[in-house]
Coordinates of all heavy atoms in Angstrom, one line a residue:
A1 N -0.5 80.9 29.9 CA 0.8 80.3 30.2 C 1.8 80.7 29.1 O 3.0 80.8 29.4 CB 0.7 78.8 30.3
C2 N 1.4 80.8 27.8 CA 2.3 80.9 26.7 C 3.2 82.2 26.8 O 4.2 82.2 26.1 CB 1.6 80.8 25.4 SG 0.5 82.2 25.0
A3 N 2.8 83.2 27.5 CA 3.6 84.4 27.6 C 4.8 84.2 28.6 O 5.7 84.9 28.6 CB 2.8 85.6 28.1
H4 N 4.8 83.0 29.3 CA 5.7 82.9 30.4 C 6.7 81.6 30.1 O 7.6 81.4 31.0 CB 5.0 82.7 31.7 CG 4.1 83.8 32.0 ND1 4.5 84.9 32.7 CD2 2.8 84.0 31.8 CE1 3.5 85.8 32.9 NE2 2.5 85.3 32.3
F5 N 6.4 80.9 29.1 CA 7.3 79.7 28.8 C 7.5 79.7 27.2 O 6.6 79.8 26.5 CB 6.6 78.5 29.2 CG 6.4 78.4 30.7 CD1 5.2 78.9 31.3 CD2 7.3 77.8 31.5 CE1 5.0 78.9 32.7 CE2 7.1 77.7 32.9 CZ 6.0 78.3 33.5
E6 N 8.8 79.4 26.9 CA 9.1 79.5 25.4 C 9.1 78.1 24.8 O 9.0 78.0 23.6 CB 10.5 80.1 25.3 CG 11.6 79.3 25.9 CD 12.9 80.0 25.9 OE1 13.0 81.1 26.3 OE2 13.9 79.3 25.4
D7 N 9.0 77.1 25.6 CA 9.0 75.7 25.1 C 7.8 74.9 25.8 O 7.9 74.6 27.0 CB 10.3 75.0 25.4 CG 10.4 73.6 24.7 OD1 9.5 72.8 24.9 OD2 11.4 73.3 24.1
I8 N 6.7 74.7 25.1 CA 5.6 74.1 25.6 C 5.3 72.7 24.9 O 5.4 72.6 23.7 CB 4.3 75.0 25.4 CG1 4.5 76.3 26.2 CG2 3.1 74.2 25.9 CD1 3.3 77.2 26.0
T9 N 5.1 71.7 25.8 CA 4.8 70.4 25.3 C 3.3 70.1 25.6 O 2.9 70.2 26.8 CB 5.6 69.3 25.9 OG1 7.0 69.5 25.6 CG2 5.3 67.9 25.4
M10 N 2.5 69.7 24.6 CA 1.1 69.3 24.8 C 1.1 67.8 24.7 O 2.0 67.2 24.0 CB 0.2 69.9 23.8 CG 0.1 71.4 23.9 SD -1.2 72.2 22.9 CE -2.6 71.9 23.9
T11 N 0.2 67.1 25.5 CA 0.2 65.6 25.5 C -1.2 65.1 25.5 O -2.1 65.8 26.0 CB 1.0 65.1 26.8 OG1 0.2 65.5 27.9 CG2 2.4 65.7 26.9
D12 N -1.4 64.0 25.0 CA -2.7 63.3 25.2 C -2.5 61.8 24.8 O -1.7 61.4 24.0 CB -3.8 63.9 24.3 CG -5.2 63.5 24.8 OD1 -5.6 64.2 25.8 OD2 -5.8 62.6 24.3
F13 N -3.3 61.0 25.5 CA -3.3 59.5 25.2 C -3.9 59.2 23.9 O -3.5 58.3 23.2 CB -4.1 58.9 26.4 CG -4.5 57.4 26.1 CD1 -3.5 56.4 26.0 CD2 -5.8 57.1 26.0 CE1 -3.9 55.1 25.8 CE2 -6.2 55.7 25.8 CZ -5.2 54.8 25.6
L14 N -5.0 59.9 23.5 CA -5.8 59.6 22.3 C -5.2 60.3 21.1 O -5.0 61.5 21.0 CB -7.2 60.0 22.5 CG -8.1 59.2 23.4 CD1 -9.5 59.8 23.5 CD2 -8.1 57.7 23.0
E15 N -5.0 59.5 20.1 CA -4.6 60.0 18.8 C -5.6 61.0 18.2 O -5.2 62.0 17.7 CB -4.3 58.9 17.8 CG -3.8 59.4 16.4 CD -3.6 58.3 15.4 OE1 -3.9 57.1 15.8 OE2 -3.2 58.6 14.3
V16 N -6.9 60.8 18.4 CA -7.9 61.7 17.9 C -7.8 63.0 18.5 O -8.0 64.1 17.9 CB -9.3 61.1 18.0 CG1 -9.5 59.9 17.1 CG2 -9.7 60.7 19.4
N17 N -7.4 63.1 19.8 CA -7.2 64.4 20.4 C -6.0 65.1 19.9 O -6.0 66.3 19.7 CB -7.2 64.2 21.9 CG -8.6 64.0 22.5 OD1 -9.6 64.4 22.0 ND2 -8.6 63.5 23.8
R18 N -4.9 64.3 19.7 CA -3.7 64.9 19.2 C -3.9 65.4 17.8 O -3.4 66.5 17.4 CB -2.6 63.9 19.2 CG -2.2 63.4 20.7 CD -0.9 62.7 20.8 NE -0.8 61.6 19.9 CZ -1.2 60.3 20.2 NH1 -1.7 60.1 21.3 NH2 -0.9 59.4 19.3
Q19 N -4.7 64.8 17.0 CA -5.1 65.2 15.7 C -5.9 66.5 15.8 O -5.7 67.5 15.0 CB -5.9 64.1 14.9 CG -5.1 62.9 14.5 CD -5.9 61.8 13.9 OE1 -7.1 61.7 14.2 NE2 -5.3 61.0 13.1
E20 N -6.8 66.6 16.7 CA -7.6 67.8 16.9 C -6.7 69.0 17.2 O -6.9 70.1 16.7 CB -8.7 67.6 17.9 CG -9.7 68.7 18.1 CD -10.6 68.8 16.9 OE1 -11.1 67.8 16.4 OE2 -10.9 70.0 16.5
L21 N -5.8 68.8 18.1 CA -4.8 69.8 18.5 C -4.0 70.2 17.3 O -3.8 71.5 17.0 CB -3.9 69.3 19.6 CG -4.5 69.1 20.9 CD1 -3.5 68.5 21.9 CD2 -5.1 70.3 21.6
G22 N -3.6 69.3 16.4 CA -2.8 69.6 15.3 C -3.6 70.5 14.3 O -3.0 71.4 13.6
L23 N -4.9 70.3 14.1 CA -5.6 71.1 13.3 C -5.6 72.6 13.7 O -5.4 73.5 12.8 CB -7.1 70.7 13.3 CG -7.5 69.3 12.6 CD1 -8.9 69.0 12.8 CD2 -7.1 69.3 11.1
W24 N -5.7 72.8 15.0 CA -5.7 74.2 15.5 C -4.2 74.8 15.4 O -4.0 75.9 14.9 CB -6.2 74.3 16.9 CG -6.3 75.7 17.4 CD1 -7.3 76.6 17.2 CD2 -5.3 76.5 18.1 NE1 -7.1 77.8 17.7 CE2 -5.8 77.8 18.3 CE3 -4.0 76.2 18.5 CZ2 -5.1 78.8 18.9 CZ3 -3.2 77.2 19.2 CH2 -3.8 78.4 19.4
L25 N -3.3 74.0 15.8 CA -1.9 74.5 15.7 C -1.4 74.8 14.3 O -0.6 75.8 14.1 CB -0.9 73.4 16.4 CG -1.1 73.2 17.9 CD1 -0.4 72.0 18.3 CD2 -0.6 74.4 18.6
R26 N -1.9 74.1 13.3 CA -1.5 74.4 11.9 C -2.5 75.3 11.2 O -2.3 75.6 10.1 CB -1.4 73.0 11.2 CG -0.4 72.1 11.7 CD -0.2 70.9 10.8 NE -1.5 70.1 10.7 CZ -1.8 69.1 11.5 NH1 -1.0 68.8 12.5 NH2 -2.9 68.5 11.3
E27 N -3.5 75.8 12.0 CA -4.5 76.7 11.4 C -5.2 76.1 10.2 O -5.4 76.8 9.2 CB -3.9 78.1 11.1 CG -3.3 78.8 12.3 CD -2.8 80.2 11.9 OE1 -3.6 81.1 11.8 OE2 -1.5 80.3 11.8
E28 N -5.6 74.9 10.3 CA -6.2 74.2 9.2 C -7.7 74.4 9.2 O -8.3 74.6 10.2 CB -5.9 72.7 9.2 CG -4.4 72.4 9.0 CD -4.2 70.9 8.8 OE1 -5.1 70.1 8.8 OE2 -3.0 70.5 8.6
P29 N -8.3 74.3 8.0 CA -9.8 74.5 7.9 C -10.4 73.4 8.7 O -10.0 72.2 8.8 CB -10.1 74.3 6.4 CG -8.8 74.6 5.7 CD -7.7 74.2 6.6
G30 N -11.5 73.8 9.4 CA -12.2 72.8 10.2 C -11.8 72.7 11.7 O -12.4 72.0 12.5
A31 N -10.7 73.4 12.0 CA -10.2 73.5 13.4 C -11.3 74.1 14.3 O -12.0 75.0 13.9 CB -8.9 74.2 13.5
F32 N -11.3 73.7 15.5 CA -12.2 74.3 16.5 C -11.9 75.8 16.7 O -10.7 76.1 16.8 CB -12.2 73.6 17.8 CG -13.3 74.0 18.8 CD1 -14.5 73.5 18.7 CD2 -13.0 74.9 19.8 CE1 -15.6 73.9 19.6 CE2 -14.0 75.3 20.7 CZ -15.2 74.8 20.6
D33 N -12.8 76.7 16.7 CA -12.6 78.1 16.9 C -12.5 78.5 18.4 O -13.4 78.5 19.1 CB -13.7 78.9 16.2 CG -13.5 80.4 16.3 OD1 -12.4 80.8 16.7 OD2 -14.5 81.1 15.9
W34 N -11.3 78.8 18.8 CA -11.0 79.2 20.2 C -10.9 80.7 20.3 O -10.5 81.2 21.4 CB -9.7 78.6 20.7 CG -9.8 77.1 20.9 CD1 -9.4 76.1 20.1 CD2 -10.4 76.4 22.0 NE1 -9.7 74.9 20.6 CE2 -10.3 75.0 21.8 CE3 -11.1 76.9 23.1 CZ2 -10.8 74.1 22.7 CZ3 -11.6 75.9 24.0 CH2 -11.5 74.6 23.8
S35 N -11.2 81.5 19.3 CA -11.0 82.9 19.3 C -11.8 83.6 20.4 O -11.3 84.6 21.0 CB -11.4 83.5 17.9 OG -12.8 83.3 17.6
T36 N -13.0 83.1 20.7 CA -13.7 83.7 21.8 C -13.0 83.6 23.1 O -12.9 84.6 24.0 CB -15.1 83.1 22.0 OG1 -15.8 83.2 20.8 CG2 -15.9 83.7 23.1
Y37 N -12.3 82.5 23.4 CA -11.5 82.3 24.6 C -10.3 83.2 24.5 O -9.9 83.8 25.5 CB -11.1 80.8 24.7 CG -12.3 79.9 25.2 CD1 -13.3 79.6 24.4 CD2 -12.3 79.5 26.5 CE1 -14.4 78.8 24.8 CE2 -13.4 78.7 27.0 CZ -14.4 78.4 26.1 OH -15.4 77.6 26.5
S38 N -9.6 83.2 23.4 CA -8.4 84.1 23.2 C -8.8 85.5 23.5 O -8.0 86.3 24.2 CB -7.8 83.9 21.9 OG -7.6 82.5 21.6
Q39 N -9.9 86.0 23.0 CA -10.3 87.4 23.2 C -10.6 87.6 24.7 O -10.2 88.7 25.2 CB -11.6 87.7 22.4 CG -11.4 87.7 20.9 CD -12.7 87.7 20.1 OE1 -13.6 88.4 20.5 NE2 -12.8 87.0 19.0

């Protein structure tokens, strides 16, 4: 989707899920590795 939209909003009810997303978005240590999916 990201190639087709310039403004993306992610959402979740749970703060722990939003925190998990934040780790990946900020490229912080300990973030889940999605590189296999990206590849």
Side-chain angles (χ1 to χ4, degrees):
C2 66
H4 303 272
F5 297 88
E6 62 188 54
D7 185 310
I8 296 175
T9 300
M10 301 188 77
T11 68
D12 201 78
F13 167 65
L14 286 178
E15 182 181 0
V16 290
N17 281 342
R18 300 195 303 273
Q19 289 173 336
E20 188 68 42
L21 294 174
L23 292 177
W24 187 86
L25 290 166
R26 297 188 299 270
E27 299 185 76
E28 292 190 3
F32 189 80
D33 183 6
W34 290 102
S35 61
T36 302
Y37 283 77
S38 304
Q39 292 171 37

